[in-house]
Amino acid sequence: MFYRSHVNGILRLKDVGQKVTLIGWVQRKRNLGSLMFIDLRDRSGIVQLMIKDPTKVPDIKNEFLIQIQGIVSKKAVANPSLSTGEIEVEVTTLKVLNESDALPLIVDDVTDAGEDIRLQYRYLDLRRRPMQEILMTRSKIVQAFHSFFAKHDFTNVETPLLTLSTPGGARDFLVPSRLTPGSFYALPQSPQIYKQLLMIGGFERYYQIARCFRDEDLRADRQPDFTQIDVETSFLSQDEFLSLMEEAIRDVFKSVKGISLPQPFPRLSYETAMALYGTDKPDLRFDLPLSNVPNIIKVAYEKAGFESAHIKGLKLANASNMLSRKVLDEWVTFVKPFGIKGLVTFKHDQGQLQSSFLKFVPPASVEELTRLLNLKPGDVYVVASHTDMHVLNTAMGILRTRGAKLLNLVDEKKVAITWVTDFPLFDTNEEGQLVAAHHPFTRPQDDQLSLLKTQPKKVLAQAYDLVINGYEAGGGSMRIYDKVIQKQIFALLGMSEETIQKKFGWFIQAFNYGTPPHGGIAFGLDRLTMILAGTDNIKDVIA
RNA sequence: GGACCAGUGGUGUAGCGGUUAACAUGUCUCCCUGUCACGGAGAAGAUCGCGGGUUCGAUUCCCGUCUGGUCCGCCA
């Protein structure tokens, strides 16, 4: 059967007079009595059909699949919102190929349905242009990565999905084994160990579009089943590797959306990121840094009997109109779960500093405080404190984001990209035991090896995250390839020789056979797609 | 594991002690020759998520429960 001569979206003025056969879904019909228009949609776009005598064609409803023959003709008045808007197709014959029931959602650029209905009828949701564009964007991203890796001599290798559980990290998804009842395969949280084995196996440059599984709760930007662009190389220093990966990301943004990213990407140390933005994945589309408070405030906190171990401030310029009592109450409620007892606010209003907290500040110091805070009329300074620096940072970091949204400081068109580097090698858990901040195979920075024995908490790692618009879009590290250092790390992590052998023995053994220096990264394909498609919901970028 | 929010015609919302349960959109019927979110007239369509309680009376208040969402924990 002959289905069509053209796709709908490519017809233009130059085609006027052509006889065409088209196929598509009825997006909308406008029946004017003895004249009817139909918007006919296929993947390529929409073209308007014109039917001179609607009584001569079968009954048509939305989302019917129809095939028509007709003549392309010029429209008297063009529709500029349509790429085919200068022409229409005058229908000579019309055939219904398949009917549709009444629809549970509007199939159009903007739909009326909520998320659960869209997911229940995903096939209808996917007919909508924004959804098609998102998945095409995702496909283009993957293609851009493939061509970058091909150009740079990477080998695409597939690693197992039914694997041995490796300790640490997220909860594993488990698959029962048929041949060994009572035993289970784990689905990989990432191909981490496999890609390191590939380096030991001499591949030098590996990548994979890798499906990963983590049995943890969802978030708006987190799905238990997700895709990583997984990369590992040998014989590259961290700087060499990062600049190669920058090139990949620049290629992707350029070829997918025509966006030029800076060269090189800015870098921010973990320490600076935490101090200025309270998070290791700051949204840098706006600045709005956190600040240390003047000592006068610290003294006043002590006087007021407030927690004063760690205090931070956030200056919101021109915010007094937006920061109503109600919004501030919301903020107070919001920081409560973090253990922050209240927010102290200072406003500059009617020529002077105003705050209910000023009663704890000696009158003689008010003027100095006013000068130190340097608030202009309308500015607001929000202060909070906590015993734990990290908790305070987290809460203030989130308030920073809220403040930026409230004050409309976020430029949605901007792409703010940065490497966050110099992560600590270790965290400390509740029992005071050192735990790997990234994973136990992360290489310490070369000049800090001696600190491992004396002050391990201070040791920085050759680890890095790629942060785009406040999303962790990728993360990785250089790996340890020296088995003496590896043993030292395991010991610091409190693992006995026996535990090491039991948990990683088969992997560690590979390090006895000429392991090359190596390291890698994994980019989150879903998050990259979210950023490039401009959505904040991960479900939008997954079919 | 915890907190919060939401479940009302097909869809999206309003109503929050007594309503003929409202509006928009969709659906159906009729009219319409230049629409492009076509327009006009009319109609149908809802045991207000489920169970219990309070009350003379519950969609509305309370308790429980289920479902969905957001966040905290968690995500080396």
PDB file of all heavy atoms in Angstrom, chain A residues 28 30-31 61 88 112 216 219 222 438, chain B residues 11-12 28 34-35 38 72 74 76:
ATOM      1  N   ARG A  28      -6.802  18.770  15.126  1.00  0.00           N
ATOM      2  CA  ARG A  28      -7.952  19.623  15.416  1.00  0.00           C
ATOM      3  C   ARG A  28      -8.709  19.848  14.124  1.00  0.00           C
ATOM      4  O   ARG A  28      -8.104  19.881  13.054  1.00  0.00           O
ATOM      5  CB  ARG A  28      -7.445  20.980  15.958  1.00  0.00           C
ATOM      6  CG  ARG A  28      -8.533  21.892  16.428  1.00  0.00           C
ATOM      7  CD  ARG A  28      -7.957  23.101  17.126  1.00  0.00           C
ATOM      8  NE  ARG A  28      -7.711  22.841  18.542  1.00  0.00           N
ATOM      9  CZ  ARG A  28      -6.566  22.988  19.155  1.00  0.00           C
ATOM     10  NH1 ARG A  28      -5.506  23.326  18.483  1.00  0.00           N
ATOM     11  NH2 ARG A  28      -6.459  22.771  20.451  1.00  0.00           N
ATOM     12  N   ARG A  30     -11.813  22.324  12.248  1.00  0.00           N
ATOM     13  CA  ARG A  30     -12.663  23.521  12.342  1.00  0.00           C
ATOM     14  C   ARG A  30     -13.679  23.436  11.229  1.00  0.00           C
ATOM     15  O   ARG A  30     -13.337  23.604  10.060  1.00  0.00           O
ATOM     16  CB  ARG A  30     -11.793  24.784  12.227  1.00  0.00           C
ATOM     17  CG  ARG A  30     -10.849  24.999  13.388  1.00  0.00           C
ATOM     18  CD  ARG A  30      -9.917  26.170  13.171  1.00  0.00           C
ATOM     19  NE  ARG A  30      -8.926  25.898  12.131  1.00  0.00           N
ATOM     20  CZ  ARG A  30      -7.802  25.209  12.338  1.00  0.00           C
ATOM     21  NH1 ARG A  30      -7.517  24.734  13.535  1.00  0.00           N
ATOM     22  NH2 ARG A  30      -6.975  25.000  11.347  1.00  0.00           N
ATOM     23  N   ASN A  31     -14.917  23.143  11.603  1.00  0.00           N
ATOM     24  CA  ASN A  31     -15.959  22.963  10.601  1.00  0.00           C
ATOM     25  C   ASN A  31     -16.791  24.233  10.494  1.00  0.00           C
ATOM     26  O   ASN A  31     -17.466  24.631  11.437  1.00  0.00           O
ATOM     27  CB  ASN A  31     -16.850  21.775  11.001  1.00  0.00           C
ATOM     28  CG  ASN A  31     -17.766  21.365   9.862  1.00  0.00           C
ATOM     29  OD1 ASN A  31     -17.967  22.132   8.910  1.00  0.00           O
ATOM     30  ND2 ASN A  31     -18.319  20.166   9.958  1.00  0.00           N
ATOM     31  N   LYS A  61     -12.905  12.773  13.769  1.00  0.00           N
ATOM     32  CA  LYS A  61     -12.750  13.316  15.125  1.00  0.00           C
ATOM     33  C   LYS A  61     -11.278  13.421  15.478  1.00  0.00           C
ATOM     34  O   LYS A  61     -10.424  12.898  14.762  1.00  0.00           O
ATOM     35  CB  LYS A  61     -13.475  12.424  16.134  1.00  0.00           C
ATOM     36  CG  LYS A  61     -14.973  12.490  15.943  1.00  0.00           C
ATOM     37  CD  LYS A  61     -15.714  11.618  16.939  1.00  0.00           C
ATOM     38  CE  LYS A  61     -17.178  11.596  16.578  1.00  0.00           C
ATOM     39  NZ  LYS A  61     -17.706  10.213  16.462  1.00  0.00           N
ATOM     40  N   GLU A  88      -1.756  25.431   2.267  1.00  0.00           N
ATOM     41  CA  GLU A  88      -2.666  24.427   2.800  1.00  0.00           C
ATOM     42  C   GLU A  88      -2.852  23.395   1.708  1.00  0.00           C
ATOM     43  O   GLU A  88      -2.391  23.568   0.584  1.00  0.00           O
ATOM     44  CB  GLU A  88      -4.002  25.059   3.187  1.00  0.00           C
ATOM     45  CG  GLU A  88      -4.772  25.630   2.012  1.00  0.00           C
ATOM     46  CD  GLU A  88      -5.978  26.450   2.446  1.00  0.00           C
ATOM     47  OE1 GLU A  88      -6.228  26.549   3.657  1.00  0.00           O
ATOM     48  OE2 GLU A  88      -6.665  26.985   1.567  1.00  0.00           O
ATOM     49  N   ASP A 112      -3.936  19.484  29.119  1.00  0.00           N
ATOM     50  CA  ASP A 112      -4.668  19.811  30.337  1.00  0.00           C
ATOM     51  C   ASP A 112      -4.404  18.790  31.439  1.00  0.00           C
ATOM     52  O   ASP A 112      -4.660  19.054  32.596  1.00  0.00           O
ATOM     53  CB  ASP A 112      -6.171  19.881  30.044  1.00  0.00           C
ATOM     54  CG  ASP A 112      -6.711  18.582  29.466  1.00  0.00           C
ATOM     55  OD1 ASP A 112      -5.910  17.779  28.946  1.00  0.00           O
ATOM     56  OD2 ASP A 112      -7.922  18.373  29.527  1.00  0.00           O
ATOM     57  N   GLU A 216      16.726   3.284  45.575  1.00  0.00           N
ATOM     58  CA  GLU A 216      16.534   4.362  46.542  1.00  0.00           C
ATOM     59  C   GLU A 216      15.304   5.167  46.138  1.00  0.00           C
ATOM     60  O   GLU A 216      14.813   5.043  45.026  1.00  0.00           O
ATOM     61  CB  GLU A 216      17.766   5.267  46.577  1.00  0.00           C
ATOM     62  CG  GLU A 216      19.047   4.557  46.998  1.00  0.00           C
ATOM     63  CD  GLU A 216      19.029   4.113  48.450  1.00  0.00           C
ATOM     64  OE1 GLU A 216      18.164   4.574  49.215  1.00  0.00           O
ATOM     65  OE2 GLU A 216      19.885   3.277  48.818  1.00  0.00           O
ATOM     66  N   ARG A 219      13.278  11.324  43.420  1.00  0.00           N
ATOM     67  CA  ARG A 219      13.194  12.774  43.557  1.00  0.00           C
ATOM     68  C   ARG A 219      12.787  13.315  42.195  1.00  0.00           C
ATOM     69  O   ARG A 219      12.763  12.590  41.215  1.00  0.00           O
ATOM     70  CB  ARG A 219      14.548  13.377  43.928  1.00  0.00           C
ATOM     71  CG  ARG A 219      14.958  13.156  45.353  1.00  0.00           C
ATOM     72  CD  ARG A 219      14.137  13.993  46.321  1.00  0.00           C
ATOM     73  NE  ARG A 219      14.662  13.842  47.664  1.00  0.00           N
ATOM     74  CZ  ARG A 219      14.399  12.839  48.465  1.00  0.00           C
ATOM     75  NH1 ARG A 219      13.596  11.869  48.066  1.00  0.00           N
ATOM     76  NH2 ARG A 219      14.922  12.772  49.665  1.00  0.00           N
ATOM     77  N   ARG A 222      15.626  12.455  40.106  1.00  0.00           N
ATOM     78  CA  ARG A 222      16.265  11.167  40.423  1.00  0.00           C
ATOM     79  C   ARG A 222      15.298  10.034  40.160  1.00  0.00           C
ATOM     80  O   ARG A 222      14.148  10.080  40.603  1.00  0.00           O
ATOM     81  CB  ARG A 222      16.656  11.182  41.893  1.00  0.00           C
ATOM     82  CG  ARG A 222      17.892  10.409  42.184  1.00  0.00           C
ATOM     83  CD  ARG A 222      18.416  10.776  43.533  1.00  0.00           C
ATOM     84  NE  ARG A 222      17.626  10.169  44.593  1.00  0.00           N
ATOM     85  CZ  ARG A 222      17.724  10.512  45.871  1.00  0.00           C
ATOM     86  NH1 ARG A 222      18.542  11.461  46.236  1.00  0.00           N
ATOM     87  NH2 ARG A 222      16.982   9.921  46.771  1.00  0.00           N
ATOM     88  N   HIS A 438      33.769   9.606  48.080  1.00  0.00           N
ATOM     89  CA  HIS A 438      33.375   9.263  46.714  1.00  0.00           C
ATOM     90  C   HIS A 438      33.247   7.745  46.627  1.00  0.00           C
ATOM     91  O   HIS A 438      32.173   7.200  46.667  1.00  0.00           O
ATOM     92  CB  HIS A 438      34.418   9.817  45.736  1.00  0.00           C
ATOM     93  CG  HIS A 438      34.056   9.671  44.299  1.00  0.00           C
ATOM     94  ND1 HIS A 438      32.875  10.106  43.778  1.00  0.00           N
ATOM     95  CD2 HIS A 438      34.739   9.139  43.254  1.00  0.00           C
ATOM     96  CE1 HIS A 438      32.847   9.837  42.474  1.00  0.00           C
ATOM     97  NE2 HIS A 438      33.953   9.250  42.145  1.00  0.00           N
TER      98      HIS A 438
ATOM     99  P     U B  11     -10.698  11.790  34.152  1.00  0.00           P
ATOM    100  OP1   U B  11      -9.597  10.905  34.553  1.00  0.00           O
ATOM    101  OP2   U B  11     -11.698  12.235  35.137  1.00  0.00           O
ATOM    102  O5'   U B  11     -10.083  13.081  33.448  1.00  0.00           O
ATOM    103  C5'   U B  11      -8.976  12.962  32.571  1.00  0.00           C
ATOM    104  C4'   U B  11      -8.532  14.336  32.127  1.00  0.00           C
ATOM    105  O4'   U B  11      -9.602  14.970  31.371  1.00  0.00           O
ATOM    106  C3'   U B  11      -8.250  15.326  33.242  1.00  0.00           C
ATOM    107  O3'   U B  11      -6.965  15.145  33.807  1.00  0.00           O
ATOM    108  C2'   U B  11      -8.398  16.661  32.514  1.00  0.00           C
ATOM    109  O2'   U B  11      -7.280  16.919  31.710  1.00  0.00           O
ATOM    110  C1'   U B  11      -9.592  16.365  31.609  1.00  0.00           C
ATOM    111  N1    U B  11     -10.875  16.758  32.231  1.00  0.00           N
ATOM    112  C2    U B  11     -11.198  18.097  32.211  1.00  0.00           C
ATOM    113  O2    U B  11     -10.469  18.944  31.732  1.00  0.00           O
ATOM    114  N3    U B  11     -12.399  18.414  32.791  1.00  0.00           N
ATOM    115  C4    U B  11     -13.293  17.545  33.369  1.00  0.00           C
ATOM    116  O4    U B  11     -14.339  17.986  33.844  1.00  0.00           O
ATOM    117  C5    U B  11     -12.878  16.170  33.363  1.00  0.00           C
ATOM    118  C6    U B  11     -11.713  15.830  32.804  1.00  0.00           C
ATOM    119  P     G B  12      -6.728  15.478  35.352  1.00  0.00           P
ATOM    120  OP1   G B  12      -5.348  15.072  35.658  1.00  0.00           O
ATOM    121  OP2   G B  12      -7.855  14.936  36.139  1.00  0.00           O
ATOM    122  O5'   G B  12      -6.821  17.062  35.379  1.00  0.00           O
ATOM    123  C5'   G B  12      -5.809  17.833  34.733  1.00  0.00           C
ATOM    124  C4'   G B  12      -6.139  19.299  34.813  1.00  0.00           C
ATOM    125  O4'   G B  12      -7.362  19.569  34.085  1.00  0.00           O
ATOM    126  C3'   G B  12      -6.438  19.833  36.203  1.00  0.00           C
ATOM    127  O3'   G B  12      -5.254  20.041  36.947  1.00  0.00           O
ATOM    128  C2'   G B  12      -7.172  21.131  35.864  1.00  0.00           C
ATOM    129  O2'   G B  12      -6.262  22.124  35.450  1.00  0.00           O
ATOM    130  C1'   G B  12      -8.008  20.692  34.661  1.00  0.00           C
ATOM    131  N9    G B  12      -9.366  20.299  35.073  1.00  0.00           N
ATOM    132  C8    G B  12      -9.840  19.046  35.372  1.00  0.00           C
ATOM    133  N7    G B  12     -11.104  19.046  35.713  1.00  0.00           N
ATOM    134  C5    G B  12     -11.485  20.372  35.636  1.00  0.00           C
ATOM    135  C6    G B  12     -12.732  20.993  35.891  1.00  0.00           C
ATOM    136  O6    G B  12     -13.790  20.482  36.240  1.00  0.00           O
ATOM    137  N1    G B  12     -12.669  22.374  35.690  1.00  0.00           N
ATOM    138  C2    G B  12     -11.550  23.065  35.312  1.00  0.00           C
ATOM    139  N2    G B  12     -11.690  24.383  35.180  1.00  0.00           N
ATOM    140  N3    G B  12     -10.388  22.502  35.062  1.00  0.00           N
ATOM    141  C4    G B  12     -10.424  21.166  35.248  1.00  0.00           C
ATOM    142  P     C B  28     -18.121  14.093  19.505  1.00  0.00           P
ATOM    143  OP1   C B  28     -17.809  13.006  18.560  1.00  0.00           O
ATOM    144  OP2   C B  28     -17.686  15.465  19.223  1.00  0.00           O
ATOM    145  O5'   C B  28     -19.696  14.114  19.768  1.00  0.00           O
ATOM    146  C5'   C B  28     -20.391  12.924  20.096  1.00  0.00           C
ATOM    147  C4'   C B  28     -21.831  13.246  20.424  1.00  0.00           C
ATOM    148  O4'   C B  28     -21.867  14.017  21.659  1.00  0.00           O
ATOM    149  C3'   C B  28     -22.529  14.152  19.425  1.00  0.00           C
ATOM    150  O3'   C B  28     -23.016  13.425  18.304  1.00  0.00           O
ATOM    151  C2'   C B  28     -23.653  14.741  20.275  1.00  0.00           C
ATOM    152  O2'   C B  28     -24.701  13.805  20.461  1.00  0.00           O
ATOM    153  C1'   C B  28     -22.930  14.948  21.605  1.00  0.00           C
ATOM    154  N1    C B  28     -22.364  16.312  21.738  1.00  0.00           N
ATOM    155  C2    C B  28     -23.218  17.345  22.163  1.00  0.00           C
ATOM    156  O2    C B  28     -24.410  17.076  22.385  1.00  0.00           O
ATOM    157  N3    C B  28     -22.721  18.601  22.298  1.00  0.00           N
ATOM    158  C4    C B  28     -21.436  18.834  22.034  1.00  0.00           C
ATOM    159  N4    C B  28     -20.993  20.080  22.179  1.00  0.00           N
ATOM    160  C5    C B  28     -20.546  17.804  21.599  1.00  0.00           C
ATOM    161  C6    C B  28     -21.048  16.567  21.460  1.00  0.00           C
ATOM    162  P     G B  34     -16.489  33.003   5.925  1.00  0.00           P
ATOM    163  OP1   G B  34     -17.266  32.947   7.182  1.00  0.00           O
ATOM    164  OP2   G B  34     -16.652  34.130   4.985  1.00  0.00           O
ATOM    165  O5'   G B  34     -14.943  32.902   6.279  1.00  0.00           O
ATOM    166  C5'   G B  34     -14.487  31.894   7.173  1.00  0.00           C
ATOM    167  C4'   G B  34     -12.996  31.801   7.093  1.00  0.00           C
ATOM    168  O4'   G B  34     -12.616  30.856   6.047  1.00  0.00           O
ATOM    169  C3'   G B  34     -12.308  33.125   6.755  1.00  0.00           C
ATOM    170  O3'   G B  34     -11.099  33.206   7.484  1.00  0.00           O
ATOM    171  C2'   G B  34     -11.943  32.954   5.283  1.00  0.00           C
ATOM    172  O2'   G B  34     -10.839  33.715   4.882  1.00  0.00           O
ATOM    173  C1'   G B  34     -11.632  31.457   5.262  1.00  0.00           C
ATOM    174  N9    G B  34     -11.654  30.836   3.935  1.00  0.00           N
ATOM    175  C8    G B  34     -12.666  30.792   3.027  1.00  0.00           C
ATOM    176  N7    G B  34     -12.348  30.132   1.937  1.00  0.00           N
ATOM    177  C5    G B  34     -11.032  29.728   2.152  1.00  0.00           C
ATOM    178  C6    G B  34     -10.153  28.982   1.335  1.00  0.00           C
ATOM    179  O6    G B  34     -10.348  28.503   0.218  1.00  0.00           O
ATOM    180  N1    G B  34      -8.916  28.796   1.935  1.00  0.00           N
ATOM    181  C2    G B  34      -8.571  29.275   3.165  1.00  0.00           C
ATOM    182  N2    G B  34      -7.346  29.008   3.580  1.00  0.00           N
ATOM    183  N3    G B  34      -9.387  29.969   3.959  1.00  0.00           N
ATOM    184  C4    G B  34     -10.578  30.151   3.385  1.00  0.00           C
ATOM    185  P     U B  35     -11.042  34.139   8.817  1.00  0.00           P
ATOM    186  OP1   U B  35     -12.313  34.874   8.962  1.00  0.00           O
ATOM    187  OP2   U B  35      -9.755  34.865   8.785  1.00  0.00           O
ATOM    188  O5'   U B  35     -10.924  33.049   9.963  1.00  0.00           O
ATOM    189  C5'   U B  35     -12.102  32.529  10.571  1.00  0.00           C
ATOM    190  C4'   U B  35     -11.863  31.105  10.959  1.00  0.00           C
ATOM    191  O4'   U B  35     -11.662  30.295   9.769  1.00  0.00           O
ATOM    192  C3'   U B  35     -10.593  30.870  11.765  1.00  0.00           C
ATOM    193  O3'   U B  35     -10.786  31.161  13.131  1.00  0.00           O
ATOM    194  C2'   U B  35     -10.338  29.391  11.519  1.00  0.00           C
ATOM    195  O2'   U B  35     -11.182  28.589  12.300  1.00  0.00           O
ATOM    196  C1'   U B  35     -10.759  29.243  10.054  1.00  0.00           C
ATOM    197  N1    U B  35      -9.612  29.325   9.124  1.00  0.00           N
ATOM    198  C2    U B  35      -8.775  28.231   9.045  1.00  0.00           C
ATOM    199  O2    U B  35      -8.948  27.232   9.726  1.00  0.00           O
ATOM    200  N3    U B  35      -7.743  28.331   8.172  1.00  0.00           N
ATOM    201  C4    U B  35      -7.458  29.399   7.367  1.00  0.00           C
ATOM    202  O4    U B  35      -6.480  29.346   6.617  1.00  0.00           O
ATOM    203  C5    U B  35      -8.372  30.509   7.487  1.00  0.00           C
ATOM    204  C6    U B  35      -9.398  30.433   8.342  1.00  0.00           C
ATOM    205  P     C B  38      -9.024  25.814  17.167  1.00  0.00           P
ATOM    206  OP1   C B  38      -9.977  24.776  17.539  1.00  0.00           O
ATOM    207  OP2   C B  38      -7.937  25.502  16.251  1.00  0.00           O
ATOM    208  O5'   C B  38      -9.799  27.070  16.568  1.00  0.00           O
ATOM    209  C5'   C B  38     -11.155  27.294  16.906  1.00  0.00           C
ATOM    210  C4'   C B  38     -11.567  28.620  16.364  1.00  0.00           C
ATOM    211  O4'   C B  38     -11.846  28.502  14.937  1.00  0.00           O
ATOM    212  C3'   C B  38     -12.873  29.152  16.917  1.00  0.00           C
ATOM    213  O3'   C B  38     -12.692  29.748  18.199  1.00  0.00           O
ATOM    214  C2'   C B  38     -13.251  30.172  15.855  1.00  0.00           C
ATOM    215  O2'   C B  38     -12.440  31.320  15.930  1.00  0.00           O
ATOM    216  C1'   C B  38     -12.874  29.399  14.573  1.00  0.00           C
ATOM    217  N1    C B  38     -14.038  28.640  14.077  1.00  0.00           N
ATOM    218  C2    C B  38     -15.033  29.336  13.378  1.00  0.00           C
ATOM    219  O2    C B  38     -14.890  30.542  13.191  1.00  0.00           O
ATOM    220  N3    C B  38     -16.129  28.658  12.937  1.00  0.00           N
ATOM    221  C4    C B  38     -16.231  27.347  13.174  1.00  0.00           C
ATOM    222  N4    C B  38     -17.313  26.732  12.724  1.00  0.00           N
ATOM    223  C5    C B  38     -15.233  26.623  13.883  1.00  0.00           C
ATOM    224  C6    C B  38     -14.163  27.292  14.323  1.00  0.00           C
ATOM    225  P     C B  72      15.526  17.430  49.872  1.00  0.00           P
ATOM    226  OP1   C B  72      16.679  18.337  49.836  1.00  0.00           O
ATOM    227  OP2   C B  72      15.462  16.267  48.960  1.00  0.00           O
ATOM    228  O5'   C B  72      15.343  16.880  51.355  1.00  0.00           O
ATOM    229  C5'   C B  72      15.523  17.727  52.473  1.00  0.00           C
ATOM    230  C4'   C B  72      15.347  16.963  53.762  1.00  0.00           C
ATOM    231  O4'   C B  72      13.999  16.426  53.824  1.00  0.00           O
ATOM    232  C3'   C B  72      16.213  15.723  53.927  1.00  0.00           C
ATOM    233  O3'   C B  72      17.540  16.035  54.309  1.00  0.00           O
ATOM    234  C2'   C B  72      15.449  14.978  55.006  1.00  0.00           C
ATOM    235  O2'   C B  72      15.653  15.565  56.269  1.00  0.00           O
ATOM    236  C1'   C B  72      14.012  15.210  54.563  1.00  0.00           C
ATOM    237  N1    C B  72      13.519  14.116  53.701  1.00  0.00           N
ATOM    238  C2    C B  72      13.165  12.908  54.314  1.00  0.00           C
ATOM    239  O2    C B  72      13.265  12.810  55.543  1.00  0.00           O
ATOM    240  N3    C B  72      12.727  11.881  53.550  1.00  0.00           N
ATOM    241  C4    C B  72      12.634  12.016  52.228  1.00  0.00           C
ATOM    242  N4    C B  72      12.200  10.986  51.521  1.00  0.00           N
ATOM    243  C5    C B  72      12.996  13.230  51.575  1.00  0.00           C
ATOM    244  C6    C B  72      13.431  14.249  52.341  1.00  0.00           C
ATOM    245  P     C B  74      21.428  10.447  55.217  1.00  0.00           P
ATOM    246  OP1   C B  74      22.466   9.858  56.080  1.00  0.00           O
ATOM    247  OP2   C B  74      21.698  11.710  54.506  1.00  0.00           O
ATOM    248  O5'   C B  74      20.983   9.370  54.145  1.00  0.00           O
ATOM    249  C5'   C B  74      20.881   7.984  54.473  1.00  0.00           C
ATOM    250  C4'   C B  74      20.292   7.236  53.301  1.00  0.00           C
ATOM    251  O4'   C B  74      19.008   7.820  52.972  1.00  0.00           O
ATOM    252  C3'   C B  74      21.076   7.332  52.000  1.00  0.00           C
ATOM    253  O3'   C B  74      22.171   6.430  51.953  1.00  0.00           O
ATOM    254  C2'   C B  74      19.998   7.003  50.972  1.00  0.00           C
ATOM    255  O2'   C B  74      19.728   5.620  50.952  1.00  0.00           O
ATOM    256  C1'   C B  74      18.798   7.740  51.565  1.00  0.00           C
ATOM    257  N1    C B  74      18.703   9.124  51.017  1.00  0.00           N
ATOM    258  C2    C B  74      18.094   9.291  49.765  1.00  0.00           C
ATOM    259  O2    C B  74      17.652   8.285  49.179  1.00  0.00           O
ATOM    260  N3    C B  74      18.001  10.530  49.231  1.00  0.00           N
ATOM    261  C4    C B  74      18.498  11.580  49.888  1.00  0.00           C
ATOM    262  N4    C B  74      18.383  12.773  49.323  1.00  0.00           N
ATOM    263  C5    C B  74      19.113  11.445  51.163  1.00  0.00           C
ATOM    264  C6    C B  74      19.197  10.214  51.682  1.00  0.00           C
ATOM    265  P     A B  76      25.836   6.865  45.821  1.00  0.00           P
ATOM    266  OP1   A B  76      25.798   8.332  45.952  1.00  0.00           O
ATOM    267  OP2   A B  76      26.172   6.263  44.562  1.00  0.00           O
ATOM    268  O5'   A B  76      26.841   6.292  46.892  1.00  0.00           O
ATOM    269  C5'   A B  76      26.856   6.793  48.223  1.00  0.00           C
ATOM    270  C4'   A B  76      28.128   6.367  48.892  1.00  0.00           C
ATOM    271  O4'   A B  76      28.618   5.161  48.296  1.00  0.00           O
ATOM    272  C3'   A B  76      29.254   7.412  48.769  1.00  0.00           C
ATOM    273  O3'   A B  76      29.998   7.391  49.998  1.00  0.00           O
ATOM    274  C2'   A B  76      30.101   6.844  47.652  1.00  0.00           C
ATOM    275  O2'   A B  76      31.424   7.226  47.707  1.00  0.00           O
ATOM    276  C1'   A B  76      29.963   5.351  47.920  1.00  0.00           C
ATOM    277  N9    A B  76      30.248   4.495  46.773  1.00  0.00           N
ATOM    278  C8    A B  76      30.932   3.310  46.827  1.00  0.00           C
ATOM    279  N7    A B  76      31.074   2.721  45.654  1.00  0.00           N
ATOM    280  C5    A B  76      30.435   3.581  44.791  1.00  0.00           C
ATOM    281  C6    A B  76      30.217   3.531  43.412  1.00  0.00           C
ATOM    282  N6    A B  76      30.639   2.546  42.617  1.00  0.00           N
ATOM    283  N1    A B  76      29.552   4.533  42.829  1.00  0.00           N
ATOM    284  C2    A B  76      29.117   5.530  43.631  1.00  0.00           C
ATOM    285  N3    A B  76      29.241   5.680  44.927  1.00  0.00           N
ATOM    286  C4    A B  76      29.921   4.667  45.469  1.00  0.00           C
TER     287        A B  76
END
